[in-house]
Amino acid sequence: MLNLVIFGPPGAGKGTQSQKLIDKYQLVHISTGDLFRAHIQEQTGLGKKVSQLIADGQLVPDAITIAMLEEEADKNKDARGFIFDGFPRTVPQAEALDAFLKSKGTAITGVIALDVDQEELSRRIAERKKLTNRVDDDADKLKKRIDEYFNKTIHVLPYYEAQGKLTRVNGIGDIDQIFAELTAVIDSY
Ligand code: AMP
């Protein structure tokens, strides 16, 4: 299996590049943010539980997020591989993902981190806000999400670096050029 983590702060281009990667490599895309938004839209019990946290730009507790991710992965038993987008965001999530994949006889193949500076992130999210109207793209919520990224999520990088699985790619520039860099990394696995 080809199991990828696409990693980066809010607005780094994870969603955009994931779409292109799933087309090319026929992977199942699991975006925990998309899954939470679907739960909120459908007003499920889980959706009701997490909607305020998400609207405020805070991370959802690990136990809830991990259970949702495992359930989604289990729905796709025939997958050729997965692309995990927006997960893991904490070290306990990364550990849980390793244990889960191990129990299925597989593992993370590689982690690609999209590097984008703060100024460019703010510019992109302002643009996205016009298109999607995500409440958590408002300036104060966005600040909280970026804080969550730098306080909690960033620690996931050394976790994978220690496993020799981390590659950083410059996430600024032409979408197709960045995609070409990602595919060069993946094709080298
Ligand atoms: P995203 O679309 O990936 O930016 O996620 C939107 C929001 O969903 C985040 O700001 C968090 O509130 C929540 N979320 C998504 N993925 C996770 C995760 N792996 N752990 C905790 N919260 C998450």
Side-chain angles (χ1 to χ4, degrees):
M1 283 177 93
L2 177 63
N3 295 313
L4 306 173
V5 174
I6 183 123
F7 194 89
K14 301 187 294 293
T16 304
Q17 294 296 339
S18 293
Q19 279 310 319
K20 294 172 74 70
L21 291 171
I22 56 174
D23 287 347
K24 182 169 166 77
Y25 295 100
Q26 307 290 303
L27 303 173
V28 171
H29 180 215
I30 300 190
S31 155
T32 42
D34 286 351
L35 291 172
F36 282 133
R37 280 184 288 277
H39 275 282
I40 292 169
Q41 178 101 30
E42 290 157 21
Q43 302 189 343
T44 66
L46 174 61
K48 287 180 189 149
K49 210 185 280 181
V50 302
S51 68
Q52 196 58 50
L53 285 172
I54 292 184
D56 290 344
Q58 296 182 55
L59 292 188
V60 173
D62 286 336
I64 297 177
T65 309
I66 291 165
M68 180 181 73
L69 177 112
E70 292 185 356
E71 190 188 319
E72 188 65 19
D74 277 336
K75 283 186 198 157
N76 293 284
K77 290 201 187 337
D78 298 331
R80 300 174 56 167
F82 291 98
I83 175 153
F84 298 104
D85 163 5
F87 185 98
R89 262 175 155 101
T90 63
V91 171
Q93 289 182 16
E95 290 168 346
L97 182 60
D98 275 353
F100 176 74
L101 293 175
K102 194 172 176 193
S103 77
K104 310 284 173 193
T106 185
I108 289 295
T109 311
V111 177
I112 304 180
L114 292 169
D115 274 335
V116 177
D117 63 54
Q118 207 125 332
E119 198 180 321
E120 172 71 6
L121 293 176
S122 304
R123 196 190 62 72
R124 287 186 188 180
I125 290 184
E127 280 302 306
R128 182 168 78 186
K129 174 83 188 141
K130 292 183 203 155
L131 299 173
T132 64
N133 214 23
R134 274 178 56 166
V135 286
D136 60 346
D137 280 346
D138 285 344
D140 54 333
K141 307 299 159 46
L142 173 62
K143 185 181 177 313
K144 179 72 197 158
R145 286 163 61 212
I146 292 179
D147 286 351
E148 291 281 72
Y149 178 80
F150 285 106
N151 288 329
K152 297 175 185 163
T153 305
I154 200 102
H155 303 298
V156 172
L157 288 176
Y159 176 86
Y160 286 118
E161 201 160 30
Q163 295 185 11
K165 290 186 176 171
L166 178 69
T167 308
R168 291 170 182 273
V169 167
N170 179 7
I172 298 185
D174 179 63
I175 289 176
D176 289 328
Q177 175 60 37
I178 297 167
F179 181 65
E181 287 179 38
L182 296 184
T183 59
V185 172
I186 293 166
D187 293 342
S188 74
Y189 288 145

